[in-house]
Each structure stands twice: as structure tokens, then as C-alpha cells.
Amino acid sequence: MTDTSLNLAASQILNALANNELRPVVRTFFDQATFTASHVVHDPSTKSAAIIDSVLDYDPASGRTSFSSAQNIVSYVKENDLHIEWQLETHAHADHLSAAPWLQEQLGGELGIGAQIITVQEVFGKIFNADTRFARDGSQFDKLFHDGNQFRIGNLNVTVLHVPGHTPADMAFVIGDAAFIGDTLFMPDYGTARADFPGGNATTLFRSIRRLLSLPGKTRVFLCHDYKAEGRDQFAWETTIEAERAHNIHVHDGITEENFVKMRTNRDATLNLPTLIMPSVQVNIRGGHMPEPDDNGTSYIKIPVNKL
């Protein structure tokens, strides 16, 4: 059976590798508080750009938000005279809040995420007992992407791949010769993403990862997180498909689906929930907006007791 979407992405990558003008410039901003890598990717010929997986600063003790991380992105965009066409989310993150609405106010750009965000909204809408003001139809986003969708950022071709498993809605954005893969893979020495959140599935994750690893070996791979594997002193967020295939400690070539699922399931059972999962999910399923305010005008984050 032919994987048409994957073939489109692979052809795009090979064209970009052969023509340097079709390769994007990528600048990464790493937020050490949440171990998140946000990326600004742009077409050097037109200055058209996208922001991927932005971070809103949030203090869980006080419930206060701030914008220093996002402001660094704004400053870079303005200093380089970039035109933001897209604010892209690889998925509804459980470890940091999205700054996309604030960045839209500052810089513009359409907000896009995978179409299966609707499934995530249904699941977590029930977990957090969201009231009827919370729409579970993806309408908080400007664009819902499906597998194989294509668009352009300036002269750069973009192909979207659905890579579920960590969540049902995970998408990889292949831009020129670069793949922004969210929480599927980490650096080769750290492994792979967890699959135990509601809607996650280790078998599905393995198949999504193997799909990504079918891309050309020279594909540049940009990650959403890094936690510094033991023995490594520096944070890192860029690798290649060939490096992941050869060296990823969880899913290198030769690892079977059965062995991966067993490893991932056992490992996930030992992990604590992310520190910011409660605010992050409630905000990110709303496209980065806070929950609907109560009648006193204040928004509240719910914490379900003994539920997760």
C-alpha cells in the first residue's frame, strides 16, 4: 500500500536538498523552565515565516502569566524583518502553555493544529468537566490540518503528516528539508515520547515513528523538547533521520514493535505527570486561550481530584 502523504514529503525533502533556495532558515528558542524548543522557520528569499510550538511563561504558584519567552521571538522576528504567516502547534501540549494568541496579536499569522484536536477536546473536556461554553469543534483554531495537506510559506513547500500516539492529534510539519516532529522523538540518546496520556497509544506511536523514519536520511529533524541525556552537558533539539534510525535508544532500526511497546508501557508507568499538565491542557485545547471566565470576570484552572 502506497503512503501518498509520505511520498509527497520525501519528494519535497529531496528537492530541497538539491536546491538550497528551498531550504528554510530555522532559529530555535529554548525555554529551560519547560525544556521546550520553539522554532521560527522562514524562507530566506521572501522572509515569510512560521512560529512552531511557542511558550507562554506561567508561574504555577501564583497563576500568573508573562511573555518574556514569547517576546524573545517577537524581537527576533522584527530584527530580521520576517512576515509571520503561521502560528503552528504540533499538538496540544501537556507541559507548557502556548503563547500563540499573544503572538498573533503582536505578529499575525493563522493558528493551525491537527484536525484530531477535536478528539482531544472531547476527552479532556470531559476530564475537566468543561461547561457548554467550551466548543469541542476545533473552532478555536484558524486551520485544522489533515494528513497530506500541503501549503506554502513564501516559496517553501510544506507537507503535513499525521503522527499520532503521544496524542491523537500530533502532526509533523515538513518544511523544505526540515521536519518539525513535536513529541514523537527526542534526541537519539534520550529516546521517544510517552504514550500514556488519555488518547495516547504506544503501538500507534511506534508506527508513527517508523513512518517518520522512512523520510530521507538527510532530513533535518527539529524536536519540541530536550532533557539532556545522562552524560550530555548541552541541550540539543536538532538531529537527522539517519541519526535517529542508527542511534535512537528506544526505536533504532531493528527494534520490533512488540519490544518497543513493552519498553514504552513499562517506562511510562514510572513517570510522573508533567508539572504544568493541568493549566497546559486546559489552555492549549482552547488554542492558547484561558478557560472561559466565571461571572466575576476571572478565569480558573480546574484540578480534578483522583482523576488522572
Side-chain angles (χ1 to χ4, degrees):
M1 181 175 173
T2 301
D3 189 334
T4 303
S5 302
L6 192 67
N7 289 342
L8 288 171
S11 177
Q12 171 191 304
I13 291 164
L14 292 173
N15 287 338
L17 289 170
N19 183 352
N20 196 54
E21 293 182 357
L22 300 179
R23 302 182 69 192
V25 174
V26 181
R27 171 71 160 85
T28 299
F29 296 82
F30 190 76
D31 177 54
Q32 193 165 330
T34 62
F35 305 102
T36 302
S38 303
H39 309 287
V40 179
V41 51
H42 80 265
D43 171 14
S45 62
T46 67
K47 297 296 188 78
S48 295
I51 298 169
I52 302 175
D53 293 335
S54 61
V55 173
L56 176 70
D57 300 308
Y58 178 81
D59 176 20
S62 66
R64 291 189 176 276
T65 60
S66 57
F67 305 100
S68 59
S69 296
Q71 183 59 55
N72 290 334
I73 291 176
V74 172
S75 298
Y76 171 80
V77 167
K78 291 184 175 180
E79 288 168 4
N80 289 276
D81 195 28
L82 304 182
H83 171 64
I84 299 300
E85 295 185 353
W86 289 97
Q87 307 274 350
L88 300 174
E89 302 286 357
T90 55
H91 62 294
H93 310 275
D95 37 33
H96 71 271
L97 285 67
S98 170
W102 187 80
L103 286 168
Q104 283 183 299
E105 292 178 2
Q106 309 302 311
L107 301 170
E110 292 186 79
L111 177 57
I113 199 168
Q116 288 300 316
I117 187 63
I118 295 171
T119 301
V120 178
Q121 289 176 330
E122 286 284 353
V123 170
F124 281 100
K126 293 176 181 177
I127 288 173
F128 290 109
N129 197 30
D131 63 32
T132 56
R133 293 176 298 169
F134 171 51
R136 296 158 170 83
D137 58 3
S139 58
Q140 301 87 346
F141 301 85
D142 300 310
K143 176 67 176 180
L144 301 183
F145 291 106
H146 295 270
D147 185 66
N149 281 168
Q150 293 188 296
F151 61 99
R152 295 172 76 87
I153 300 171
N155 294 324
L156 299 174
N157 292 316
V158 185
T159 300
V160 185
L161 299 176
H162 185 211
V163 287
H166 175 62
T167 81
D170 282 64
M171 307 299 283
F173 295 96
V174 180
I175 304 174
D177 71 320
F180 300 83
I181 64 171
D183 286 11
T184 50
L185 289 163
F186 298 138
M187 292 299 290
D189 60 359
Y190 201 87
T192 58
R194 65 195 297 168
D196 60 328
F197 294 150
N201 184 279
T203 298
T204 303
L205 178 62
F206 178 83
R207 294 173 184 177
S208 292
I209 289 171
R210 293 312 306 179
R211 190 178 188 221
L212 286 172
L213 295 182
S214 297
L215 292 170
K218 298 297 184 184
T219 304
R220 292 185 288 163
V221 176
F222 291 89
L223 313 175
C224 189
H225 294 286
D226 185 53
Y227 305 97
K228 279 198 301 190
E230 185 176 354
R232 175 156 53 86
D233 295 329
Q234 301 295 323
F235 290 107
W237 46 78
E238 181 180 352
T239 181
T240 64
I241 291 295
E242 62 185 0
E244 293 282 7
R245 291 188 64 160
H247 304 297
N248 188 286
I249 60 171
H250 292 167
V251 72
H252 59 75
D253 286 353
I255 297 293
T256 67
E257 180 178 302
E258 180 182 5
N259 287 341
F260 174 83
V261 170
K262 181 179 179 179
M263 177 281 301
R264 189 70 264 171
T265 301
N266 291 339
R267 181 178 174 84
D268 289 350
T270 70
L271 300 178
N272 294 324
L273 288 176
T275 301
L276 296 182
I277 187 171
M278 298 300 178
S280 294
V281 172
Q282 291 176 77
V283 168
N284 294 336
I285 60 177
R286 292 172 167 86
H289 294 280
M290 293 294 159
E292 298 74 11
D294 281 4
D295 54 12
N296 64 356
T298 300
S299 293
Y300 292 87
I301 299 295
K302 292 182 176 180
I303 300 179
V305 178
N306 297 326
K307 186 70 173 178
L308 292 176

